[in-house]
Each structure stands twice: as structure tokens, then as C-alpha cells.
Amino acid sequence: MVKCAEKVRRQKKHFVSSRLQIELQPLIGYACYDNDAVLKGGKSSKLKYIRDKVFDLYMPSTNSKDDRVSYVELFLKGRGRFKCLFDKVPVDDVEKLENNILTDEKLVIPPFFSGMGDTAAFIGKTSINMSVLTRKNKSNPQDISAKTLYNHAKDVERNCKKALAICLAPNSPY
């Protein structure tokens, strides 16, 4: 019985839902798609160029000489357009060691954004990390593809257009 309780505690500690992963990847993918480098290509840009550009902006560099910062890295640091998504929570020394946190604060996604109930979604090795954001899905360690990222970004764009149309409709309660 004690072992079972420990196992549940351990599983909860390392918990990131597939749903959260599926929500975060399109969010970051759309931020890449909304970048000037992609949008300035215009309507004449080839689809392959747009997909590759979104992918390059999304994924961290594997080249040590490349000094660019990817959107995944910006998200994990809570910087740029992603800083409004996080609450900063003080961290004690034990938690710093357990989760490999280098600062005195950890970035936590509020429950109303994460949809995970009482379980905290935070940036750290046991929750949201580079691996969660760059892999195809939770069970497949392969990198997410350029095509999938582009499709995610287009889905977000369509949803934004629908939400705007609802808000601007004459009989809208918003």
C-alpha cells in the first residue's frame, strides 16, 4: 500500500498531459508563423519555404556556432510574447535541486491556462521542458515535423478568425 502511494506521488510529480502538450505546440508554432520573417514572404511564398521557416524559428539550434534563440527557448524562459502566460513562484533550495532550476523563481502556468486542475504545470525537467515541446507526441520521441507545426499554426489562425467574427457580430454578447 505504501509503495502504491509513492508511485502515485511520483507520477503526479512528473505529469504533463498530452492535452497541454497539444495546446502549447500550436501556441508556439503560431508565434513563429506570426513572425515578420514568415509573413513578409507574401502570398507568393512557397508552402515549403513557409513550413521550413516556421520550423527553423520553432526548433532550438543544434549548431553551436548559431547564436539565434528559438521560440521554444523563449517560451521556456518566459520571455518575449510568452511572459504573460506565466506566474512567477518562489522556489526553495530542495526544489531547485530536484527540478534543475537555476533562479529563485519558477515559471508556473496558471491552472485556468493549463486545464490540468490542481496539478501545477511549470517549467522544469519534471514538467514542461524542451523534450515535451519538440517531440511529436508524448509517446514518440521523434521531433515534431515542419508540416505539423505549420498545420498547428493555421489551425490557431482559423480559430482566431472565428473568435474575432463572433466578437464583431452585431448580435454578439461580447
Side-chain angles (χ1 to χ4, degrees):
M1 185 119 165
V2 173
K3 286 183 182 178
C4 186
E6 274 181 31
K7 187 177 179 183
V8 169
R9 239 182 279 128
R10 218 174 315 134
Q11 284 176 345
K12 272 193 166 185
K13 189 175 179 185
H14 299 275
F15 180 73
V16 174
S17 69
S18 296
R19 180 175 161 221
L20 181 60
Q21 180 187 28
I22 291 169
E23 292 297 325
L24 292 177
Q25 287 176 339
L27 172 84
I28 300 168
Y30 182 74
C32 298
Y33 179 76
D34 195 36
N35 185 291
D36 281 347
V38 176
L39 295 177
K40 284 188 178 176
K43 295 206 182 240
S44 64
S45 292
K46 295 199 183 245
L47 184 60
K48 180 166 177 20
Y49 167 80
I50 294 171
R51 284 181 181 166
D52 290 345
K53 194 66 182 168
V54 167
F55 186 77
D56 288 341
L57 291 168
Y58 185 89
M59 294 298 273
S61 176
T62 55
N63 184 354
S64 61
K65 294 180 182 178
D66 188 3
D67 62 348
R68 71 178 174 83
V69 179
S70 72
Y71 275 69
V72 167
E73 292 167 320
L74 285 174
F75 178 84
L76 291 173
K77 292 176 183 171
R79 295 199 178 134
R81 55 176 67 182
F82 304 113
K83 68 182 173 187
C84 63
L85 297 175
F86 298 101
D87 290 336
K88 292 184 178 181
V89 177
V91 180
D92 62 3
D93 292 334
V94 174
E95 195 172 6
K96 274 186 184 179
L97 290 173
E98 284 179 354
N99 296 309
N100 199 20
I101 299 172
L102 303 175
T103 63
D104 292 332
E105 297 176 322
K106 81 176 165 185
L107 298 172
V108 177
I109 297 178
F112 61 89
F113 281 152
S114 68
M116 290 175 40
D118 294 337
T119 307
F122 62 93
I123 303 298
K125 73 177 185 180
T126 59
S127 189
I128 300 169
N129 56 35
M130 187 79 67
S131 175
V132 168
L133 297 174
T134 58
R135 66 188 339 178
K136 221 176 207 181
N137 56 45
K138 286 193 56 134
S139 60
N140 189 345
Q142 254 185 332
D143 282 348
I144 193 167
S145 70
K147 181 181 178 184
T148 303
L149 277 175
Y150 175 78
N151 290 340
H152 284 330
K154 293 304 280 183
D155 288 343
V156 171
E157 183 180 46
R158 278 190 294 277
N159 289 338
C160 289
K161 287 179 180 178
K162 288 177 194 173
L164 182 64
I166 289 169
C167 290
L168 296 178
N171 58 353
S172 173
Y174 307 105

